[in-house]
Amino acid sequence: MAQNTGTQARQAPATASSAAAPAVLRQGRAADRAPAAADKAVAVAGQVTQNNTQPLSGSNESAKQPSDAMAADAAGSRDASSGSNRDKAANHQRQLRLMMRQCDRVLLADYNLLAMEKWPDNARISAARRRRDLWLLAVTVAAVFFVSGVLGLLPAWLGGAGFGVFVTTLLLAVPPVRRVFNPRPSNRELVQQRGQMLRDARRHVAHLEGVDGLVWQCERMAAFNPALASHSFSRLREASKAHTLVQQLTERKYVRLYLFYLVEADKAYQRLQQVFLDSRQEGLDQGLVEGGPVDDGKDSANLTN
């Protein structure tokens, strides 16, 4: 029994060891699954990395969008500013062109006609009037002698001499005969010359004024020549605006005043034309003004507005 007991005792540890061994092996196999967990951890880490990379790319794209929007806004502002500059340049050109078209009749002025250089002065009129008075006196004396001779108050030879002088002085009233003895014009001719020159000047002023009136339209050019805004031309401007300027030119001094205004207006027109050409060339160089012709219909519409 002791031997059996020892044998059983020896078999018991062996059995215990054999029973314990399978348990250790099962735990070892369970521990061998650690690489799968590591792969899963690696996969999870990769997913996390991918998730971390995606927001970065999204942030870059979102960062690019504001920069593109800012660039678009800057381009739009540049286009708007260039468009406004182009409109301002076109409007400035249109205004200058309107002023030039309103006052272009200044270039048609005949300064020699309006200056009246051959206008008979008062000295010539006075001298012609004295000659006329002497002629009338001679005619009267000759007529008295002739009538006295006919009535018998004077001798017949004095009456005959008076008749001859009377006829001769009457013939001097005929211009061709008078020019044989005296080439100077008579008082009547000088007065007629004055009237004709004044009528020609008024006719020319009516042509220059036209329907709208030239003087008051040229008042806009005072910025290029301040003399146009002088108080001495105020009556001319008012009469031109009321379309009564031609009727008020009854004397030579008024025509000369109109001539002085045209001279100052011509100076302003030349300066305006130079400014127009310079601004147009500058606009063409900067690309703000097109080289094509300007529509006169639009200009007229803007003028009426």
Side-chain angles (χ1 to χ4, degrees), residues 177-209:
V177 178
R178 187 188 67 251
R179 292 191 184 97
V180 175
F181 301 95
N182 187 6
R184 292 177 294 181
S186 64
N187 179 71
R188 181 181 179 182
E189 291 177 347
L190 292 178
V191 172
Q192 290 179 349
Q193 183 179 358
R194 276 188 171 186
Q196 184 63 36
M197 294 180 66
L198 186 59
R199 286 191 295 271
D200 294 341
R202 294 177 64 181
R203 190 181 301 112
H204 185 61
V205 171
H207 172 67
L208 293 177
E209 286 294 309

Side-chain angles (χ1 to χ4, degrees), residues 233-249:
F233 299 132
S234 60
R235 294 185 61 184
L236 289 179
R237 291 192 295 268
E238 294 175 359
S240 177
K241 188 174 182 179
H243 304 291
T244 59
L245 179 61
V246 180
Q247 290 77 11
Q248 295 186 14
L249 298 179

